[in-house]
Amino acid sequence: MIGMNWIHNVAPLGHHRARRPTEPATPMRHRDFDLDSLEVFVTVAELGNMTRAAGQLGLTQSAVSHVVRQLETAFATQLFDRSIRPMALTASGHRLWHWSKRILGDARQLPAVIGGKDTLFVPELRLGCIDTLAAPFMPRLLQQLRDSVPSFSIAAGLSRQLREQFMARRLDVIFTNESFDDLDQVDSFRLLSEPFVLLVPRSAPDVADEAGLRALSQALPLIRNTVDSSLGRMVDQHLRRLGMEIPRSFAFDAVDTMMAMVAEEMGWSLLPPTALVKSRQHLGRLKVLPFPAASFRRSVFVVARKGELGALPARIHKAGRGILTQGYFTDVLASSPWLKPMISR
């Protein structure tokens, strides 16, 4: 941690006074320095001459030399090779120059960032995503955002879990099935709307109507999501509306396992197309059919706290929609082209 001297001695960058620094009452401790001394060092390093650096900074040459000596004492190493002309940075000097440039650059951004004038600067973006959309969507999204956000942390899980983490401020932006319309201080952008489709083993007969669906449910168990997932609740509620009370046999919290079960002819399932993309390796071993009764859909939203990230949530939404329209569903549509007009992006 930088010493308290860093806090007390910070002067606005670019506003140096012509002065001769006095020797400190006690020797400078390791890493006990201020922004002014780093800017003096960087200027000397880039100009290769203390006299020229002093002229640019409005200091005397002896004051600049004193600052450099202080830094060399603080780090217990030689920063410049003075045996050659023009003098050059040592290996330690190169390392200090690199980090000083970074520290000074960050310091110049502080007034705008803390004052709210640059709300697009986000040192770390904490994203949450429902499991059915996490891959390959999230890697493609991060590829588009990494030029403006230096660091990311990603959480994938159920909508309920993401909501809890978002409300506890452990996540900044989430991709979820919930619109958060019940909260005023939240911005919600619809990313897509998609239907649930019927997945059956390749050996099973096609299901053309509600009677066929009932026959299927008698012949094979339903491979369903767990009841604490929003997908599981949506499927159960819709089947009840159709008057179908199907006994519970298998319930999973991972769509990959659900599709593998169908591929192994262990049952049938209902999932949205984004889940099929995530687990597309199973598509060749099962059949994807339109839901034969009254259809039902789910929407995915981008949710962020209102006004806290500037235009970044809108940019994330735009980038996400672009990803979904640029061949995202190619593998699914290759075997089920009838799905294309049913997916709204």
Side-chain angles (χ1 to χ4, degrees):
M1 180 180 292
I2 295 174
M4 290 300 292
N5 190 51
W6 185 89
I7 298 174
H8 294 302
N9 292 340
V10 170
L13 296 176
H15 292 81
H16 295 274
R17 300 181 301 277
R19 69 190 190 283
R20 177 187 294 272
T22 58
E23 292 289 345
T26 57
M28 181 181 283
R29 299 186 305 273
H30 181 52
R31 293 186 295 176
D32 192 5
F33 50 83
D34 60 20
L35 294 178
D36 278 348
S37 62
L38 293 183
E39 187 166 23
V40 168
F41 167 74
V42 167
T43 305
V44 173
E46 293 181 347
L47 295 180
N49 183 285
M50 291 192 186
T51 302
R52 291 170 59 193
Q56 180 167 309
L57 295 170
L59 299 172
T60 64
Q61 190 275 335
S62 59
V64 170
S65 179
H66 178 70
V67 169
V68 172
R69 288 198 306 273
Q70 279 187 312
L71 289 172
E72 290 181 324
T73 300
F75 290 100
T77 188
Q78 187 175 346
L79 300 175
F80 291 97
D81 183 350
R82 297 172 176 81
S83 67
I84 58 175
R85 290 290 182 269
M87 64 180 185
L89 289 169
T90 62
S92 296
H94 271 291
R95 289 193 292 272
L96 181 59
W97 174 82
H98 170 79
W99 283 101
S100 295
K101 292 281 286 186
R102 183 172 179 175
I103 291 168
L104 292 170
D106 287 346
R108 289 188 178 95
Q109 294 187 67
L110 280 176
V113 172
I114 304 304
K117 297 176 183 177
D118 183 10
T119 52
L120 288 181
F121 178 79
V122 180
E124 180 185 32
L125 185 61
R126 300 167 300 173
L127 296 170
C129 187
I130 50 177
D131 180 66
T132 49
L133 193 66
F137 177 83
M138 193 56 67
R140 298 181 188 181
L141 178 69
L142 298 182
Q143 192 171 31
Q144 296 195 29
L145 297 178
R146 63 182 180 179
D147 62 329
S148 58
V149 179
S151 177
F152 298 90
S153 64
I154 315 297
L158 303 176
S159 286
R160 173 183 53 79
Q161 297 167 334
L162 298 178
R163 182 185 180 100
E164 291 173 356
Q165 293 184 63
F166 179 78
M167 298 303 294
R169 287 188 167 270
R170 292 194 293 271
L171 293 174
D172 302 309
V173 179
I174 59 175
F175 295 83
T176 176
N177 298 327
E178 301 181 46
S179 66
F180 281 66
D181 288 339
D182 56 320
L183 298 179
D184 293 333
Q185 298 305 312
V186 166
D187 283 327
S188 179
F189 308 85
R190 187 189 299 272
L191 186 66
L192 86 158
S193 173
E194 57 182 345
F196 280 80
V197 296
L198 179 64
L199 307 182
V200 300
R202 291 201 69 82
S203 61
D206 287 352
V207 180
D209 52 29
E210 188 173 328
L213 181 65
R214 293 180 184 277
L216 176 67
S217 67
Q218 294 293 322
L220 291 171
L222 171 61
I223 310 298
R224 64 211 317 159
N225 295 93
T226 53
V227 292
D228 59 345
S229 74
S230 59
L231 289 185
R233 291 192 299 272
M234 291 177 69
V235 168
D236 287 350
Q237 290 168 5
H238 192 70
L239 292 176
R240 280 197 295 270
R241 283 194 292 268
L242 296 176
M244 298 179 64
E245 292 287 347
I246 301 176
R248 303 191 71 82
S249 297
F250 302 107
F252 300 93
D253 61 1
V255 297
D256 187 66
T257 309
M258 295 172 64
M259 289 183 62
M261 289 284 287
V262 177
E264 294 294 334
E265 303 194 353
M266 294 289 291
W268 59 282
S269 191
L270 293 167
L271 287 171
T274 48
L276 275 56
V277 174
K278 182 178 187 295
S279 301
R280 56 195 179 279
Q281 70 271 20
H282 301 297
L283 287 174
R285 300 172 56 217
L286 51 78
K287 291 194 291 188
V288 180
L289 304 172
F291 187 69
S295 64
F296 65 117
R297 309 175 65 85
R298 73 103 175 241
S299 293
V300 177
F301 300 88
V302 180
V303 177
R305 280 176 283 275
K306 192 181 294 291
E308 292 194 7
L309 295 174
L312 187 56
R315 181 187 171 192
I316 292 172
H317 174 247
K318 182 178 180 180
R321 288 177 66 89
I323 291 168
L324 295 175
T325 57
Q326 294 169 7
Y328 190 79
F329 294 97
T330 297
D331 292 337
V332 175
L333 297 179
S335 58
S336 307
W338 50 268
L339 256 176
K340 186 173 183 178
M342 302 175 69
I343 303 173
S344 304
R345 288 153 285 185

